[in-house]
Amino acid sequence: MSAHCQLTGAKPGFGHHISHSHRRTSRRFDPNIQRKRYWLPSEGRYVRLTLSARAIKTVDTIGVEAAVARIRARGGKV
């Protein structure tokens, strides 16, 4: 599963592990991605979305219809 959010577009960030001796090695900061299933009343079906934890809270606030509209506006497929 790719580590990006369909709603917010959150993707992995990149940086360095820095050891005690201050040597740097590459690392990756992944967003907290979850797959969640929502009932979409307008289409009479379930949709499975790949969302970050922050986006799940956003869906709880704005509703699944508005969230799916935002995803489609970004060019995402639902």
Side-chain angles (χ1 to χ4, degrees), residues 12-57:
F14 296 89
H16 297 283
H17 287 288
I18 301 182
S19 69
H20 179 69
S21 64
H22 221 67
R23 290 176 63 100
R24 292 176 166 96
T25 55
S26 294
R27 66 158 293 176
R28 183 171 139 147
F29 296 91
D30 285 327
N32 184 4
I33 298 294
Q34 312 290 325
R35 283 184 54 104
K36 194 145 169 60
R37 194 175 83 142
Y38 290 99
W39 174 252
L40 196 57
S42 64
E43 297 181 18
R45 68 182 181 108
Y46 284 100
V47 292
R48 190 174 298 274
L49 303 175
T50 304
L51 302 171
S52 63
R54 187 181 76 186
I56 291 172
K57 295 173 189 174

Side-chain angles (χ1 to χ4, degrees), residues 50-67:
T50 304
L51 302 171
S52 63
R54 187 181 76 186
I56 291 172
K57 295 173 189 174
T58 302
V59 172
D60 290 344
T61 303
I62 67 172
V64 69
E65 296 284 348

